[in-house]
Amino acid sequence: MDPLPAGTSLSSGFHDDVGSSATTPLAFRPTLHMQSWTFIIGSSLFALGSAPGLGKWLGTTGANTSFFIGAWFFTAAGFMQLLLSEPRIGPRGGVRAVWLAAAAQSLGTVLFNVSTGAALHTRQLSAERDFVWAPNAEGSLAFLISGGLLCFVL
């Protein structure tokens, strides 16, 4: 990939969108636009999986599969958010709260991936065939920490 001309940026204009600049040593340069659409797709799949009656229509496997695929979109968007929140270290040498919040949210998305995958696996157990995935406490806590950090700092 050719470097961008000096003074050119892939930035969306969002003040924390510095990770997409030409100085980022990545073959893939995420943008705020890409991150936003990936979160939208993931949340749409979560809404679909939790739609009333979907578990009866598609079965629990169908609903859990929607959650599982949605969780992967959330994880991809969370990783983009982490890259876009760079630099990790602020001008005074400390870890930036924006980066910590993105890291906590990214961790939460990975924890949701684990739990949605486990929901698909438990579907194979006869005693648990009717269980549909529900958010786990660990992933939810990571999301709360992420939001709390930003509320406290901003």
Side-chain angles (χ1 to χ4, degrees):
M1 178 178 231
D2 293 335
L4 295 173
T8 305
S9 171
L10 297 175
S11 176
S12 69
F14 184 69
H15 74 280
D16 286 318
D17 196 10
V18 295
S20 63
S21 71
T23 60
T24 304
L26 300 172
F28 170 72
R29 294 192 198 319
T31 65
L32 185 61
H33 185 109
M34 290 167 24
Q35 172 201 329
S36 299
W37 274 105
T38 307
F39 272 128
I40 288 169
I41 293 168
S43 53
S44 297
L45 287 166
F46 271 73
L48 176 67
S50 62
L54 183 77
K56 291 189 187 279
W57 186 57
L58 290 178
T60 55
T61 300
N64 285 338
T65 300
S66 181
F67 289 130
F68 183 71
I69 295 169
W72 280 101
F73 276 95
F74 266 108
T75 298
F79 183 66
M80 285 184 224
Q81 181 181 26
L82 185 61
L83 293 175
L84 291 171
S85 70
E86 289 289 337
R88 181 174 55 92
I89 304 297
R92 295 185 199 143
V95 177
R96 294 177 59 235
V98 170
W99 186 88
L100 279 175
Q105 180 152 330
S106 194
L107 173 64
T109 65
V110 171
L111 292 170
F112 272 23
N113 274 43
V114 171
S115 67
T116 57
L120 283 175
H121 175 70
T122 58
R123 170 71 178 104
Q124 298 170 4
L125 305 173
S126 62
E128 298 183 13
R129 289 217 169 128
D130 295 327
F131 289 150
V132 175
W133 176 81
N136 64 348
E138 297 85 1
S140 297
L141 181 62
F143 292 145
L144 286 172
I145 291 170
S146 172
L149 277 168
L150 289 180
C151 285
F152 179 71
V153 173
L154 301 176

mmCIF file of all heavy atoms in Angstrom, residues 16-65:
data_model
loop_
_atom_site.group_PDB
_atom_site.id
_atom_site.type_symbol
_atom_site.label_atom_id
_atom_site.label_comp_id
_atom_site.label_asym_id
_atom_site.label_seq_id
_atom_site.Cartn_x
_atom_site.Cartn_y
_atom_site.Cartn_z
ATOM 1 N N ASP A 16 -10.983 11.668 18.202
ATOM 2 C CA ASP A 16 -10.162 10.551 18.655
ATOM 3 C C ASP A 16 -9.862 9.569 17.528
ATOM 4 O O ASP A 16 -9.443 8.454 17.760
ATOM 5 C CB ASP A 16 -10.843 9.803 19.801
ATOM 6 C CG ASP A 16 -10.784 10.596 21.082
ATOM 7 O OD1 ASP A 16 -9.729 11.184 21.367
ATOM 8 O OD2 ASP A 16 -11.793 10.632 21.778
ATOM 9 N N ASP A 17 -10.064 9.970 16.297
ATOM 10 C CA ASP A 17 -9.874 9.109 15.145
ATOM 11 C C ASP A 17 -8.438 9.215 14.626
ATOM 12 O O ASP A 17 -8.201 9.267 13.438
ATOM 13 C CB ASP A 17 -10.877 9.503 14.061
ATOM 14 C CG ASP A 17 -11.030 8.452 12.990
ATOM 15 O OD1 ASP A 17 -10.514 7.340 13.169
ATOM 16 O OD2 ASP A 17 -11.665 8.753 11.973
ATOM 17 N N VAL A 18 -7.466 9.248 15.539
ATOM 18 C CA VAL A 18 -6.082 9.410 15.130
ATOM 19 C C VAL A 18 -5.441 8.109 14.682
ATOM 20 O O VAL A 18 -4.412 8.122 14.046
ATOM 21 C CB VAL A 18 -5.231 10.046 16.260
ATOM 22 C CG1 VAL A 18 -5.699 11.448 16.532
ATOM 23 C CG2 VAL A 18 -5.262 9.197 17.503
ATOM 24 N N GLY A 19 -6.044 6.976 14.978
ATOM 25 C CA GLY A 19 -5.456 5.692 14.605
ATOM 26 C C GLY A 19 -5.486 5.420 13.124
ATOM 27 O O GLY A 19 -4.792 4.544 12.639
ATOM 28 N N SER A 20 -6.283 6.174 12.369
ATOM 29 C CA SER A 20 -6.378 5.910 10.944
ATOM 30 C C SER A 20 -5.441 6.791 10.122
ATOM 31 O O SER A 20 -5.536 6.835 8.920
ATOM 32 C CB SER A 20 -7.822 6.135 10.483
ATOM 33 O OG SER A 20 -8.179 7.477 10.678
ATOM 34 N N SER A 21 -4.539 7.493 10.768
ATOM 35 C CA SER A 21 -3.645 8.373 10.028
ATOM 36 C C SER A 21 -2.619 7.563 9.247
ATOM 37 O O SER A 21 -2.433 6.381 9.448
ATOM 38 C CB SER A 21 -2.927 9.327 10.990
ATOM 39 O OG SER A 21 -1.987 8.613 11.756
ATOM 40 N N ALA A 22 -1.952 8.240 8.343
ATOM 41 C CA ALA A 22 -0.974 7.574 7.482
ATOM 42 C C ALA A 22 0.213 7.036 8.270
ATOM 43 O O ALA A 22 0.964 6.226 7.761
ATOM 44 C CB ALA A 22 -0.502 8.546 6.408
ATOM 45 N N THR A 23 0.400 7.480 9.508
ATOM 46 C CA THR A 23 1.529 7.007 10.292
ATOM 47 C C THR A 23 1.262 5.658 10.952
ATOM 48 O O THR A 23 2.166 5.047 11.485
ATOM 49 C CB THR A 23 1.900 8.030 11.387
ATOM 50 O OG1 THR A 23 0.770 8.201 12.246
ATOM 51 C CG2 THR A 23 2.296 9.356 10.765
ATOM 52 N N THR A 24 0.007 5.185 10.919
ATOM 53 C CA THR A 24 -0.318 3.895 11.517
ATOM 54 C C THR A 24 0.289 2.785 10.674
ATOM 55 O O THR A 24 -0.010 2.680 9.489
ATOM 56 C CB THR A 24 -1.853 3.696 11.603
ATOM 57 O OG1 THR A 24 -2.390 4.785 12.331
ATOM 58 C CG2 THR A 24 -2.193 2.391 12.284
ATOM 59 N N PRO A 25 1.139 1.933 11.255
ATOM 60 C CA PRO A 25 1.810 0.895 10.468
ATOM 61 C C PRO A 25 0.917 -0.336 10.280
ATOM 62 O O PRO A 25 1.211 -1.408 10.762
ATOM 63 C CB PRO A 25 3.046 0.574 11.312
ATOM 64 C CG PRO A 25 2.592 0.835 12.712
ATOM 65 C CD PRO A 25 1.620 1.980 12.621
ATOM 66 N N LEU A 26 -0.200 -0.155 9.588
ATOM 67 C CA LEU A 26 -1.133 -1.250 9.365
ATOM 68 C C LEU A 26 -1.431 -1.378 7.881
ATOM 69 O O LEU A 26 -1.505 -0.381 7.170
ATOM 70 C CB LEU A 26 -2.455 -1.002 10.103
ATOM 71 C CG LEU A 26 -2.409 -0.859 11.609
ATOM 72 C CD1 LEU A 26 -3.773 -0.424 12.111
ATOM 73 C CD2 LEU A 26 -2.026 -2.183 12.232
ATOM 74 N N ALA A 27 -1.659 -2.603 7.434
ATOM 75 C CA ALA A 27 -2.117 -2.796 6.068
ATOM 76 C C ALA A 27 -3.594 -2.407 5.981
ATOM 77 O O ALA A 27 -4.068 -1.948 4.958
ATOM 78 C CB ALA A 27 -1.917 -4.248 5.652
ATOM 79 N N PHE A 28 -4.327 -2.595 7.075
ATOM 80 C CA PHE A 28 -5.741 -2.257 7.160
ATOM 81 C C PHE A 28 -5.878 -1.027 8.029
ATOM 82 O O PHE A 28 -5.468 -1.023 9.171
ATOM 83 C CB PHE A 28 -6.513 -3.436 7.769
ATOM 84 C CG PHE A 28 -7.926 -3.114 8.131
ATOM 85 C CD1 PHE A 28 -8.881 -2.935 7.156
ATOM 86 C CD2 PHE A 28 -8.295 -2.980 9.457
ATOM 87 C CE1 PHE A 28 -10.180 -2.638 7.488
ATOM 88 C CE2 PHE A 28 -9.596 -2.687 9.802
ATOM 89 C CZ PHE A 28 -10.545 -2.519 8.807
ATOM 90 N N ARG A 29 -6.426 0.040 7.488
ATOM 91 C CA ARG A 29 -6.610 1.272 8.240
ATOM 92 C C ARG A 29 -8.104 1.502 8.462
ATOM 93 O O ARG A 29 -8.801 1.984 7.573
ATOM 94 C CB ARG A 29 -6.012 2.444 7.486
ATOM 95 C CG ARG A 29 -4.509 2.385 7.339
ATOM 96 C CD ARG A 29 -3.989 3.709 6.844
ATOM 97 N NE ARG A 29 -2.690 3.808 6.256
ATOM 98 C CZ ARG A 29 -1.580 3.235 6.618
ATOM 99 N NH1 ARG A 29 -1.581 2.403 7.585
ATOM 100 N NH2 ARG A 29 -0.439 3.442 6.010
ATOM 101 N N PRO A 30 -8.598 1.178 9.660
ATOM 102 C CA PRO A 30 -10.024 1.372 9.921
ATOM 103 C C PRO A 30 -10.386 2.848 9.990
ATOM 104 O O PRO A 30 -9.543 3.690 10.268
ATOM 105 C CB PRO A 30 -10.228 0.708 11.281
ATOM 106 C CG PRO A 30 -8.900 0.785 11.938
ATOM 107 C CD PRO A 30 -7.880 0.685 10.833
ATOM 108 N N THR A 31 -11.626 3.124 9.712
ATOM 109 C CA THR A 31 -12.148 4.483 9.828
ATOM 110 C C THR A 31 -13.332 4.454 10.790
ATOM 111 O O THR A 31 -13.889 3.385 11.072
ATOM 112 C CB THR A 31 -12.610 5.028 8.466
ATOM 113 O OG1 THR A 31 -13.711 4.241 8.014
ATOM 114 C CG2 THR A 31 -11.489 5.019 7.443
ATOM 115 N N LEU A 32 -13.717 5.606 11.260
ATOM 116 C CA LEU A 32 -14.878 5.703 12.132
ATOM 117 C C LEU A 32 -16.129 5.234 11.395
ATOM 118 O O LEU A 32 -16.998 4.587 11.980
ATOM 119 C CB LEU A 32 -15.033 7.141 12.635
ATOM 120 C CG LEU A 32 -16.143 7.375 13.647
ATOM 121 C CD1 LEU A 32 -15.916 6.542 14.904
ATOM 122 C CD2 LEU A 32 -16.227 8.853 13.993
ATOM 123 N N HIS A 33 -16.200 5.504 10.113
ATOM 124 C CA HIS A 33 -17.326 5.059 9.289
ATOM 125 C C HIS A 33 -17.411 3.530 9.269
ATOM 126 O O HIS A 33 -18.494 2.959 9.460
ATOM 127 C CB HIS A 33 -17.155 5.616 7.865
ATOM 128 C CG HIS A 33 -18.301 5.330 6.959
ATOM 129 N ND1 HIS A 33 -19.158 6.287 6.532
ATOM 130 C CD2 HIS A 33 -18.728 4.193 6.396
ATOM 131 C CE1 HIS A 33 -20.068 5.755 5.752
ATOM 132 N NE2 HIS A 33 -19.821 4.478 5.644
ATOM 133 N N MET A 34 -16.291 2.867 9.032
ATOM 134 C CA MET A 34 -16.263 1.392 9.019
ATOM 135 C C MET A 34 -16.635 0.840 10.386
ATOM 136 O O MET A 34 -17.408 -0.117 10.495
ATOM 137 C CB MET A 34 -14.876 0.892 8.595
ATOM 138 C CG MET A 34 -14.602 1.155 7.148
ATOM 139 S SD MET A 34 -12.906 0.973 6.514
ATOM 140 C CE MET A 34 -12.047 -0.093 7.527
ATOM 141 N N GLN A 35 -16.101 1.435 11.427
ATOM 142 C CA GLN A 35 -16.403 0.990 12.789
ATOM 143 C C GLN A 35 -17.887 1.132 13.070
ATOM 144 O O GLN A 35 -18.522 0.217 13.600
ATOM 145 C CB GLN A 35 -15.601 1.802 13.798
ATOM 146 C CG GLN A 35 -15.986 1.536 15.235
ATOM 147 C CD GLN A 35 -15.583 2.656 16.169
ATOM 148 O OE1 GLN A 35 -14.603 3.333 15.951
ATOM 149 N NE2 GLN A 35 -16.357 2.860 17.211
ATOM 150 N N SER A 36 -18.469 2.262 12.706
ATOM 151 C CA SER A 36 -19.888 2.515 12.969
ATOM 152 C C SER A 36 -20.770 1.501 12.256
ATOM 153 O O SER A 36 -21.698 0.945 12.855
ATOM 154 C CB SER A 36 -20.262 3.931 12.529
ATOM 155 O OG SER A 36 -19.521 4.875 13.251
ATOM 156 N N TRP A 37 -20.502 1.247 10.981
ATOM 157 C CA TRP A 37 -21.315 0.282 10.241
ATOM 158 C C TRP A 37 -21.164 -1.131 10.781
ATOM 159 O O TRP A 37 -22.125 -1.905 10.814
ATOM 160 C CB TRP A 37 -21.002 0.338 8.742
ATOM 161 C CG TRP A 37 -21.823 1.398 8.082
ATOM 162 C CD1 TRP A 37 -21.401 2.623 7.651
ATOM 163 C CD2 TRP A 37 -23.223 1.348 7.838
ATOM 164 N NE1 TRP A 37 -22.457 3.336 7.149
ATOM 165 C CE2 TRP A 37 -23.591 2.572 7.243
ATOM 166 C CE3 TRP A 37 -24.217 0.400 8.067
ATOM 167 C CZ2 TRP A 37 -24.903 2.860 6.872
ATOM 168 C CZ3 TRP A 37 -25.520 0.693 7.694
ATOM 169 C CH2 TRP A 37 -25.847 1.905 7.102
ATOM 170 N N THR A 38 -19.986 -1.463 11.243
ATOM 171 C CA THR A 38 -19.784 -2.799 11.807
ATOM 172 C C THR A 38 -20.565 -2.944 13.111
ATOM 173 O O THR A 38 -21.175 -3.985 13.358
ATOM 174 C CB THR A 38 -18.279 -3.069 12.012
ATOM 175 O OG1 THR A 38 -17.602 -2.810 10.771
ATOM 176 C CG2 THR A 38 -18.009 -4.503 12.398
ATOM 177 N N PHE A 39 -20.585 -1.900 13.942
ATOM 178 C CA PHE A 39 -21.422 -1.924 15.148
ATOM 179 C C PHE A 39 -22.908 -2.010 14.777
ATOM 180 O O PHE A 39 -23.680 -2.716 15.436
ATOM 181 C CB PHE A 39 -21.183 -0.691 16.026
ATOM 182 C CG PHE A 39 -20.065 -0.840 17.029
ATOM 183 C CD1 PHE A 39 -19.062 0.112 17.109
ATOM 184 C CD2 PHE A 39 -20.024 -1.913 17.908
ATOM 185 C CE1 PHE A 39 -18.038 -0.005 18.043
ATOM 186 C CE2 PHE A 39 -19.001 -2.037 18.844
ATOM 187 C CZ PHE A 39 -18.011 -1.083 18.906
ATOM 188 N N ILE A 40 -23.332 -1.305 13.735
ATOM 189 C CA ILE A 40 -24.737 -1.343 13.310
ATOM 190 C C ILE A 40 -25.130 -2.753 12.870
ATOM 191 O O ILE A 40 -26.194 -3.261 13.247
ATOM 192 C CB ILE A 40 -24.991 -0.321 12.185
ATOM 193 C CG1 ILE A 40 -24.948 1.098 12.745
ATOM 194 C CG2 ILE A 40 -26.321 -0.589 11.475
ATOM 195 C CD1 ILE A 40 -24.925 2.185 11.686
ATOM 196 N N ILE A 41 -24.296 -3.401 12.086
ATOM 197 C CA ILE A 41 -24.594 -4.767 11.639
ATOM 198 C C ILE A 41 -24.667 -5.710 12.832
ATOM 199 O O ILE A 41 -25.599 -6.516 12.948
ATOM 200 C CB ILE A 41 -23.550 -5.238 10.612
ATOM 201 C CG1 ILE A 41 -23.666 -4.419 9.325
ATOM 202 C CG2 ILE A 41 -23.710 -6.739 10.313
ATOM 203 C CD1 ILE A 41 -22.509 -4.604 8.365
ATOM 204 N N GLY A 42 -23.691 -5.605 13.737
ATOM 205 C CA GLY A 42 -23.690 -6.465 14.925
ATOM 206 C C GLY A 42 -24.921 -6.263 15.778
ATOM 207 O O GLY A 42 -25.576 -7.228 16.208
ATOM 208 N N SER A 43 -25.285 -5.008 16.021
ATOM 209 C CA SER A 43 -26.458 -4.760 16.870
ATOM 210 C C SER A 43 -27.745 -5.170 16.164
ATOM 211 O O SER A 43 -28.699 -5.618 16.818
ATOM 212 C CB SER A 43 -26.519 -3.314 17.332
ATOM 213 O OG SER A 43 -26.445 -2.430 16.255
ATOM 214 N N SER A 44 -27.795 -5.075 14.844
ATOM 215 C CA SER A 44 -28.970 -5.554 14.098
ATOM 216 C C SER A 44 -29.129 -7.059 14.252
ATOM 217 O O SER A 44 -30.251 -7.567 14.411
ATOM 218 C CB SER A 44 -28.849 -5.193 12.619
ATOM 219 O OG SER A 44 -28.831 -3.804 12.444
ATOM 220 N N LEU A 45 -28.010 -7.785 14.221
ATOM 221 C CA LEU A 45 -28.077 -9.238 14.414
ATOM 222 C C LEU A 45 -28.473 -9.585 15.846
ATOM 223 O O LEU A 45 -29.191 -10.554 16.079
ATOM 224 C CB LEU A 45 -26.750 -9.891 14.030
ATOM 225 C CG LEU A 45 -26.495 -9.922 12.518
ATOM 226 C CD1 LEU A 45 -25.040 -10.249 12.218
ATOM 227 C CD2 LEU A 45 -27.421 -10.909 11.841
ATOM 228 N N PHE A 46 -28.040 -8.783 16.817
ATOM 229 C CA PHE A 46 -28.469 -8.997 18.202
ATOM 230 C C PHE A 46 -29.965 -8.727 18.333
ATOM 231 O O PHE A 46 -30.677 -9.456 19.019
ATOM 232 C CB PHE A 46 -27.685 -8.097 19.167
ATOM 233 C CG PHE A 46 -26.417 -8.714 19.668
ATOM 234 C CD1 PHE A 46 -25.322 -8.854 18.850
ATOM 235 C CD2 PHE A 46 -26.316 -9.183 20.966
ATOM 236 C CE1 PHE A 46 -24.152 -9.429 19.301
ATOM 237 C CE2 PHE A 46 -25.156 -9.756 21.438
ATOM 238 C CZ PHE A 46 -24.068 -9.885 20.600
ATOM 239 N N ALA A 47 -30.458 -7.672 17.680
ATOM 240 C CA ALA A 47 -31.894 -7.371 17.717
ATOM 241 C C ALA A 47 -32.688 -8.499 17.057
ATOM 242 O O ALA A 47 -33.737 -8.905 17.572
ATOM 243 C CB ALA A 47 -32.165 -6.042 17.018
ATOM 244 N N LEU A 48 -32.182 -9.011 15.952
ATOM 245 C CA LEU A 48 -32.849 -10.118 15.281
ATOM 246 C C LEU A 48 -32.907 -11.349 16.185
ATOM 247 O O LEU A 48 -33.959 -11.982 16.325
ATOM 248 C CB LEU A 48 -32.114 -10.463 13.973
ATOM 249 C CG LEU A 48 -32.643 -11.658 13.196
ATOM 250 C CD1 LEU A 48 -34.036 -11.359 12.658
ATOM 251 C CD2 LEU A 48 -31.693 -12.000 12.062
ATOM 252 N N GLY A 49 -31.787 -11.672 16.823
ATOM 253 C CA GLY A 49 -31.739 -12.841 17.700
ATOM 254 C C GLY A 49 -32.670 -12.744 18.892
ATOM 255 O O GLY A 49 -33.139 -13.756 19.407
ATOM 256 N N SER A 50 -32.955 -11.525 19.332
ATOM 257 C CA SER A 50 -33.815 -11.351 20.503
ATOM 258 C C SER A 50 -35.248 -10.972 20.128
ATOM 259 O O SER A 50 -36.061 -10.695 21.008
ATOM 260 C CB SER A 50 -33.230 -10.294 21.437
ATOM 261 O OG SER A 50 -33.170 -9.044 20.770
ATOM 262 N N ALA A 51 -35.557 -10.969 18.835
ATOM 263 C CA ALA A 51 -36.909 -10.614 18.393
ATOM 264 C C ALA A 51 -37.928 -11.602 18.962
ATOM 265 O O ALA A 51 -37.681 -12.814 18.973
ATOM 266 C CB ALA A 51 -36.971 -10.605 16.870
ATOM 267 N N PRO A 52 -39.053 -11.086 19.444
ATOM 268 C CA PRO A 52 -40.082 -11.977 20.002
ATOM 269 C C PRO A 52 -40.520 -13.025 18.981
ATOM 270 O O PRO A 52 -40.794 -12.712 17.834
ATOM 271 C CB PRO A 52 -41.235 -11.028 20.335
ATOM 272 C CG PRO A 52 -40.605 -9.686 20.456
ATOM 273 C CD PRO A 52 -39.445 -9.683 19.513
ATOM 274 N N GLY A 53 -40.536 -14.259 19.402
ATOM 275 C CA GLY A 53 -40.989 -15.355 18.561
ATOM 276 C C GLY A 53 -39.941 -15.936 17.637
ATOM 277 O O GLY A 53 -40.175 -16.976 17.019
ATOM 278 N N LEU A 54 -38.775 -15.285 17.512
ATOM 279 C CA LEU A 54 -37.765 -15.801 16.595
ATOM 280 C C LEU A 54 -37.262 -17.174 17.030
ATOM 281 O O LEU A 54 -37.037 -18.050 16.196
ATOM 282 C CB LEU A 54 -36.582 -14.845 16.459
ATOM 283 C CG LEU A 54 -35.543 -15.320 15.439
ATOM 284 C CD1 LEU A 54 -36.039 -15.059 14.027
ATOM 285 C CD2 LEU A 54 -34.213 -14.673 15.666
ATOM 286 N N GLY A 55 -37.109 -17.366 18.352
ATOM 287 C CA GLY A 55 -36.651 -18.665 18.855
ATOM 288 C C GLY A 55 -37.593 -19.785 18.462
ATOM 289 O O GLY A 55 -37.161 -20.897 18.177
ATOM 290 N N LYS A 56 -38.885 -19.488 18.410
ATOM 291 C CA LYS A 56 -39.860 -20.516 18.002
ATOM 292 C C LYS A 56 -39.833 -20.711 16.493
ATOM 293 O O LYS A 56 -39.992 -21.814 16.002
ATOM 294 C CB LYS A 56 -41.251 -20.137 18.473
ATOM 295 C CG LYS A 56 -41.407 -20.197 19.964
ATOM 296 C CD LYS A 56 -42.860 -20.036 20.342
ATOM 297 C CE LYS A 56 -42.990 -19.914 21.838
ATOM 298 N NZ LYS A 56 -42.959 -21.153 22.538
ATOM 299 N N TRP A 57 -39.635 -19.625 15.737
ATOM 300 C CA TRP A 57 -39.666 -19.707 14.289
ATOM 301 C C TRP A 57 -38.395 -20.348 13.729
ATOM 302 O O TRP A 57 -38.455 -21.248 12.910
ATOM 303 C CB TRP A 57 -39.865 -18.306 13.720
ATOM 304 C CG TRP A 57 -40.061 -18.273 12.237
ATOM 305 C CD1 TRP A 57 -41.012 -18.918 11.527
ATOM 306 C CD2 TRP A 57 -39.271 -17.553 11.303
ATOM 307 N NE1 TRP A 57 -40.877 -18.644 10.192
ATOM 308 C CE2 TRP A 57 -39.804 -17.792 10.030
ATOM 309 C CE3 TRP A 57 -38.172 -16.708 11.420
ATOM 310 C CZ2 TRP A 57 -39.277 -17.240 8.874
ATOM 311 C CZ3 TRP A 57 -37.657 -16.149 10.259
ATOM 312 C CH2 TRP A 57 -38.201 -16.414 9.015
ATOM 313 N N LEU A 58 -37.226 -19.878 14.161
ATOM 314 C CA LEU A 58 -35.954 -20.421 13.687
ATOM 315 C C LEU A 58 -35.394 -21.506 14.603
ATOM 316 O O LEU A 58 -34.436 -22.170 14.249
ATOM 317 C CB LEU A 58 -34.903 -19.311 13.581
ATOM 318 C CG LEU A 58 -35.071 -18.281 12.490
ATOM 319 C CD1 LEU A 58 -33.964 -17.248 12.567
ATOM 320 C CD2 LEU A 58 -35.096 -18.924 11.124
ATOM 321 N N GLY A 59 -35.956 -21.623 15.786
ATOM 322 C CA GLY A 59 -35.396 -22.526 16.777
ATOM 323 C C GLY A 59 -34.294 -21.823 17.550
ATOM 324 O O GLY A 59 -33.803 -20.768 17.150
ATOM 325 N N THR A 60 -33.916 -22.405 18.661
ATOM 326 C CA THR A 60 -32.887 -21.774 19.487
ATOM 327 C C THR A 60 -31.550 -21.709 18.757
ATOM 328 O O THR A 60 -30.785 -20.766 18.957
ATOM 329 C CB THR A 60 -32.720 -22.507 20.832
ATOM 330 O OG1 THR A 60 -32.461 -23.878 20.577
ATOM 331 C CG2 THR A 60 -33.957 -22.364 21.687
ATOM 332 N N THR A 61 -31.264 -22.675 17.906
ATOM 333 C CA THR A 61 -30.007 -22.639 17.154
ATOM 334 C C THR A 61 -29.971 -21.425 16.234
ATOM 335 O O THR A 61 -28.942 -20.757 16.124
ATOM 336 C CB THR A 61 -29.809 -23.931 16.344
ATOM 337 O OG1 THR A 61 -29.784 -25.028 17.244
ATOM 338 C CG2 THR A 61 -28.511 -23.897 15.563
ATOM 339 N N GLY A 62 -31.084 -21.110 15.584
ATOM 340 C CA GLY A 62 -31.134 -19.942 14.707
ATOM 341 C C GLY A 62 -30.932 -18.645 15.473
ATOM 342 O O GLY A 62 -30.185 -17.768 15.042
ATOM 343 N N ALA A 63 -31.602 -18.524 16.617
ATOM 344 C CA ALA A 63 -31.447 -17.319 17.434
ATOM 345 C C ALA A 63 -30.015 -17.206 17.959
ATOM 346 O O ALA A 63 -29.403 -16.131 17.894
ATOM 347 C CB ALA A 63 -32.436 -17.337 18.595
ATOM 348 N N ASN A 64 -29.470 -18.308 18.453
ATOM 349 C CA ASN A 64 -28.100 -18.284 18.974
ATOM 350 C C ASN A 64 -27.080 -18.003 17.872
ATOM 351 O O ASN A 64 -26.064 -17.359 18.112
ATOM 352 C CB ASN A 64 -27.776 -19.585 19.697
ATOM 353 C CG ASN A 64 -28.440 -19.680 21.046
ATOM 354 O OD1 ASN A 64 -28.804 -18.665 21.644
ATOM 355 N ND2 ASN A 64 -28.620 -20.895 21.539
ATOM 356 N N THR A 65 -27.345 -18.497 16.662
ATOM 357 C CA THR A 65 -26.443 -18.221 15.540
ATOM 358 C C THR A 65 -26.448 -16.735 15.206
ATOM 359 O O THR A 65 -25.401 -16.156 14.912
ATOM 360 C CB THR A 65 -26.836 -19.063 14.319
ATOM 361 O OG1 THR A 65 -26.743 -20.447 14.664
ATOM 362 C CG2 THR A 65 -25.928 -18.785 13.131
#
